Every structure is written in C-alpha cells, then in structure tokens.
Amino acid sequence: MIVTKRIAAVVVAVGLAVTGLAGTASAAPAATTDLRLIAFNDFHGNLQPPAGSSGRVTLPNGTTVDAGGAAYLAAHVTRLRGQAPNSLVLAAGDNIGASPLTSALFHDEPTVEFMNKIGTDASVIGNHEWDEGYAELLRVQFGGCHPTDGCQFHQPYRGAKFPFLGANITFDNGLPAVLPVTVKFVDGIPVGIIGVTLEDLPSVVTPEVVKGFKFGDEVQALNRTSRLLDLAGIRTQVALVHQGDSTEGGGPDDCRTLPGPARQIATAASPSIDAFFTGHSHQQYNCVVTDPAGKPRPLIQGASFGRLLSVIDLKIDRKTRDVVRTATVAHNEVVTRTIAPDAGVQALVDEAVTKAGPIANRQVGTITADLVRAAAPSGESPLGDVIADAQLAATQSNQAQIAITNPGGIRTDLTYASSPAGEGNGVVTYGEAFAVQPFGNIMQTITLTGAQLKTVLEQQWQPQPNGTTITRFLQVSASLKYSWSQSGTQGNRVSGITVNGQPVDPAGSYRVSVNNFLAAGGDGFTELAKGTNLAGGPVDLDAFAAYLTAHPNLAPPASDRVTVTP
C-alpha cells in the first residue's frame, strides 16, 4: 500500500523539483557567477577502495595510480567545493547495483547514505538502479524498510536526499514514471539538471523488471525537457546521461573516444544544454563537442567505482542567466588515496564493513595468482574461463555440456594479494567472490541446435544504427572451443566450433548453461531466448563459490578456448 501511494504521488507530482542552493554571494554586483559541477558515475557501491585494476587510474604516460574509496572521494569533494564559491554534486547513474557485499548485503542503503553525506544534488537513473524493479527504486529513493529483509543497516532507512531523474522513462500509457528534471538556484540563478538513461535499458536487465515501462529516445527526451526549461526562463542547463562512449586509451583528460552513443546524443541535443556528464561505459574521457547551433560544450565521463571526479567550471552571465560557453573549463580529478579520508564517511564505511564481516570474511577458496577479467585479443579472460567452468560444473544434473557467461556479469578481478580484511595471500573470501558475481542471477540450462550455437557466437558482434559494431565477447567453458576471423563479415566470423573435442553438428542438440539474464536474450544475445527444455540451476555466485572451494590453489587456466585468425 505504501509503495502504491508513492507511485501515485510520483506520477501526480512529476514536474520541476525546485530546491535552493546556498551560495556565497558577492559583496558587489558582478557580471558573472561561477558554478562548479562535481560529478561521478558508475560508483556501484564501492565504499571500500576497489582492488586490482578496478582501483587504479591510467595516466597519460601509461602509468597508473591507486584511486577510489568513498572516504577519499568525500575528502576530494570537500576540497573541490572549497575552491569554488558555488558548487553542485551530481551523479551519472549506476550508483547502486552490481555492488560489493559491503553495500549489497544491505540493499545498497549504505551507498545512498554516503551520497547523502557528500551532499549529492541529483542523479540520473542508470540501468542498475533498475535491477530490482520500480518498487525497489522508489523505496531506495523515498526510504522505508525492504519488504523482505527489513532494515538491516540503519533503522529506519530514510531514503535519498536527492532526486533520481529519468526524462525518457514513462509508463506504457506515456505518463512520466520519475522526475525528468530538477532545478537548483545558485546566487539566485536557476540551473536545470536533466537526466536521461539509455534507451536500450530493457536489453541489459531482466525482462520482468521493465514490464509496464517505456524507455524513449534520449535526444527527444532531452529536447522536450530542455524546451520546458526554456519556457520557464531557465537558461543554464546540464544533462546527466547514463550512456557512454568507448575510448582508445589515454589519460583522464584525453579525448580519444570512438564514435559512440554519448557523442551522438551530445551533438544532436538542444543547444540550450550547456554540459554533458555521461556514464555506463566505465571510460575516462574529457571532450568538447559542438552543439546544433555550432557552439562548444563539454562531454565528460569519470571511469567508474569512484576513481575519478568529473569537474566542470561554468561562468554564468548574471544578466542573461546563461552560461558563457567560451569560459567553460572541464577536467577529471583523480580520487587519490594520498589525502586524509573524510572521517564521517570513513565511519560509515567501517560500520558497513563490520556488519558485513561475518559473511564477507568467510574463506571459500585459494588461488595461486591473480584471476583477472581483462580479456586477451581473442576475447577470452582467465576469470571468465573459471566462472564458465564453475557454471558448467554446477549444472551437471541438467546434462549440461557447455556453459556460457556474459562479461558484464564479471565485475572485478580476484587478486592474489591480501584482501582489505587481512586474509593471507591467495585466500578468496565470500565477499571477494561476491564482488566478482554480485547479481544473484539464476543458472538455467537450455537446449540449442548446433546452428543456434553458432548464431549465439556470431551475436558477439552487434551492429549499431550509427554503422559501428559493439563487440561483447562471451566467456565459455573449457568444453567449447572455436575460432573467429578478424576479416570475417557479419554472421560469418566464427568457425571450427567443437564441444568436448568433437565438431558441432548444425542439426545436433546441445545442452547449454547460461544465467537467466542471458537466457532471456540479454545483452543482445536474442538467439539464447529461443532455447528449449529449460531447467533451473543454482545462483551463479553459489556456483562460483562452490567451484573455488572444490578447487583449492586454483591457477589461471590456459587461454586456449578461443582462437583468432586473420
């Protein structure tokens, strides 16, 4: 009943959420007002400093620096705020979901409390905010205890002090499902903050959680909302876009982006929008794009897991109340661990670690070296190999012959070095295993023909409307081997498929284990949704933990499952 009332309240109240921001007023009138925007994206509940490559930032010279951790991020936010007379803290989505156990065990309530503590002003909804559906999103936003687990972290849970935005999210009947925009006042000047999530969100979550909702075109939603702000006389406008581009490398402030959806959005959307913060792709870049009126505006993203803060400094003309575009300065700030952490946030993190400790610190296995998720040129990764093998072992009762998993479900490395909790080198704890596989997906085994199996492998290359191709390399069990050609054309790249050493018969039947997300056609693997004779299995994390326990001193497997040819 409470959730129903809140849903109704959101539908009725959707509009401009207008709140005030206390700024430092000038002693005498000035021509412009300075505003600093500080943003992060894809935090994913990483309250503790992330381990391995997930906790490092690559610098322009190719070296890396340790970065991230909520208490350090908070300290950097305080420092950055102190350098500017006015500031806003924003988030570009995926703050929660796919989180380590320290946050996930409490339904990410500690992460929302952290965001409250640093004064977050607004966030766009990412796909992972939608992982558990609309009702849970409203609970996270407005507070209240979890309907099944209650309030396990703090009693009561009071919710977010900032709005979640999604201008392109509607009910099937076209009514807005969440707030499209919020407005903040800086020295009396209104600043509109618009949020849009990725249009293809339904393809990266399980189908049941998006039933009854539509996710519209990002540019159309931005333009529609920007026009409303224009009509209200709000000239300073900022976009939070949970969509991102890939990069060809470089440091935090390089702009070596490949043509991608974020740039398309930022170049096509209303010229009234002055800056774009992006997310979703977990990349670092700092670019300047040209709006439809020929004026420059920043397009920026700050990697993920709280390793970078994206900072945009604006000058706003006090007479026109619009941004002086030529004076805009943007940079990505590394969240180094060389400054004193914020004491209040550190206390929050320590409390979450302590409360999660009895579960998180339980040993489930040992490894002889790092198991990393970074893929070889073939697309195969050591950690992906292990997880696929674990899923095959866990579904033998379903007569599984092959296991296939999606790389997006592998969230971090398993590192050999001692964990933050102090376990010895090589020890893998349940918390570390959870950080790798946090979604709680259910294993399912389906029957595919050999021809369907080939189609699934060919779907790793996914053409996009802009003419580019996204590659999503599946991770496969040792029982499946194949080759792919760099010069192959769409639908004709894969060859030499074998199962347990035998060539695949296109007309033959094969039992294939995947998680329920893939079984529903997630990540564009629509052929998997055509599988037959579905049988259920364990939770993917349980399969992974059981495999680690059954294989002590586990070494990285040989990378010999996928071969690349010219």
Side-chain angles (χ1 to χ4, degrees):
M1 179 64 70
I2 292 174
V3 170
T4 302
K5 288 180 179 178
R6 285 176 178 164
I7 292 173
V10 169
V11 174
V12 171
V14 163
L16 299 182
V18 182
T19 57
L21 174 74
T24 304
S26 301
T32 60
T33 288
D34 292 334
L35 172 61
R36 168 164 284 183
L37 304 172
I38 306 167
F40 58 95
N41 59 276
D42 299 279
F43 184 72
H44 289 291
N46 277 263
L47 298 171
Q48 294 177 280
S53 61
S54 297
R56 294 192 290 269
V57 167
T58 301
L59 302 177
N61 64 3
T63 62
T64 61
V65 60
D66 291 340
Y72 294 108
L73 187 148
H76 280 279
V77 166
T78 298
R79 180 179 56 80
L80 289 166
R81 278 188 182 276
Q83 297 171 353
N86 306 293
S87 59
L88 294 170
V89 177
L90 308 172
D94 279 6
N95 313 308
I96 61 175
S99 304
L101 191 67
T102 303
S103 182
L105 188 64
F106 310 107
H107 298 283
D108 282 310
E109 292 168 17
T111 293
V112 176
E113 291 194 23
F114 151 68
M115 294 178 68
N116 288 341
K117 280 183 176 291
I118 64 172
T120 304
D121 291 285
S123 176
V124 67
I125 293 169
N127 50 291
H128 284 288
E129 271 86 4
W130 209 270
D131 278 345
E132 297 185 44
Y134 185 60
E136 175 64 2
L137 174 63
L138 292 183
R139 188 192 73 83
V140 170
Q141 167 81 86
F142 296 113
C145 294
H146 189 273
T148 302
D149 297 330
C151 284
Q152 295 185 333
F153 188 60
H154 284 159
Q155 173 73 36
Y157 167 64
R158 300 187 183 279
K161 295 180 180 179
F162 54 92
F164 287 95
L165 306 175
N168 60 334
I169 304 175
T170 66
F171 296 104
D172 277 345
N173 62 10
L175 289 174
V178 296
L179 287 171
V181 62
T182 187
V183 176
K184 303 289 180 177
F185 280 88
V186 178
D187 280 355
I189 298 172
V191 178
I193 303 163
I194 310 169
V196 293
T197 196
L198 61 160
E199 182 182 9
D200 61 349
L201 185 147
S203 72
V204 293
V205 298
T206 51
E208 59 267 22
V209 300
V210 292
K211 287 180 179 177
F213 297 89
K214 292 181 179 178
F215 299 83
D217 180 87
E218 299 98 333
V219 173
Q220 291 179 12
L222 286 167
N223 290 350
R224 181 172 61 248
T225 311
S226 178
R227 281 194 298 271
L228 291 174
L229 293 174
D230 288 339
L231 290 171
I234 300 171
R235 306 302 179 201
T236 297
Q237 301 180 15
V238 178
L240 303 178
V241 180
H242 192 70
Q243 180 59 283
D245 294 341
S246 297
T247 72
E248 297 174 314
D253 285 324
D254 284 332
C255 181
R256 295 165 57 182
T257 58
L258 302 171
R263 181 176 288 268
Q264 281 190 311
I265 293 167
T267 55
S270 168
S272 295
I273 300 172
D274 300 294
F276 285 79
F277 291 99
T278 66
H280 187 56
S281 59
H282 292 209
Q283 303 296 310
Q284 56 183 25
Y285 52 78
N286 179 13
C287 302
V288 176
V289 299
T290 303
D291 72 18
K295 293 183 179 180
R297 56 188 177 189
L299 170 71
I300 194 167
Q301 185 177 153
S304 60
F305 305 152
R307 292 174 288 166
L308 292 175
L309 286 166
S310 297
V311 182
I312 298 179
D313 289 313
L314 303 177
K315 283 191 178 295
I316 305 172
D317 186 299
R318 295 191 65 84
K319 183 176 181 180
T320 66
R321 302 197 296 182
D322 203 352
V323 171
V324 181
R325 293 276 187 91
T326 55
T328 297
V329 178
H331 77 282
N332 274 319
E333 184 89 1
V334 179
V335 179
T336 59
R337 304 176 194 168
T338 54
I339 67 172
D342 181 277
V345 171
Q346 188 62 60
L348 173 72
V349 174
D350 290 344
E351 180 183 359
V353 169
T354 299
K355 288 182 175 179
I359 296 174
N361 297 334
R362 176 170 57 86
Q363 180 175 329
V364 295
T366 52
I367 56 178
T368 64
D370 289 353
L371 291 175
V372 300
R373 60 177 180 157
S378 65
E380 185 178 352
S381 79
L383 187 51
D385 286 352
V386 169
I387 290 172
D389 288 346
Q391 293 179 352
L392 179 60
T395 52
Q396 285 301 292
S397 61
N398 294 339
Q399 291 77 51
Q401 300 164 277
I402 305 162
I404 298 174
T405 196
N406 54 311
I410 305 171
R411 304 307 297 185
T412 190
D413 302 335
L414 269 187
T415 56
Y416 175 79
S418 180
S419 73
E423 292 80 8
N425 285 347
V427 170
V428 179
T429 65
Y430 183 80
E432 291 169 322
F434 187 98
V436 172
Q437 292 260 272
F439 292 108
N441 286 325
I442 306 298
M443 294 306 304
Q444 296 180 332
T445 306
I446 56 177
T447 297
L448 297 178
T449 66
Q452 287 179 307
L453 179 59
K454 182 179 187 300
T455 297
V456 169
L457 297 176
E458 294 284 0
Q459 287 181 335
Q460 294 175 113
W461 294 269
Q462 300 175 5
Q464 302 300 300
N466 63 1
T468 62
T469 298
I470 292 177
T471 305
R472 291 189 171 105
F473 283 120
L474 295 164
Q475 304 300 298
V476 302
S477 59
S479 55
L480 175 63
K481 295 185 178 181
Y482 67 93
S483 297
W484 64 269
S485 171
Q486 293 174 317
S487 60
T489 57
Q490 185 64 33
N492 294 285
R493 290 185 173 92
V494 175
S495 63
I497 308 172
T498 64
V499 173
N500 293 321
Q502 299 300 310
V504 162
D505 176 3
S509 294
Y510 299 88
R511 294 290 283 164
V512 181
S513 290
V514 294
N515 60 47
N516 60 303
F517 170 69
L518 281 177
D523 271 350
F525 292 97
T526 55
E527 193 68 20
L528 288 171
K530 301 176 184 177
T532 59
N533 301 319
L534 186 149
V539 173
D540 54 5
L541 172 61
D542 294 342
F544 183 41
Y547 189 82
L548 291 168
T549 300
H551 296 81
N553 298 315
L554 184 65
S559 182
D560 60 358
R561 306 177 188 190
V562 183
T563 304
V564 183
T565 61

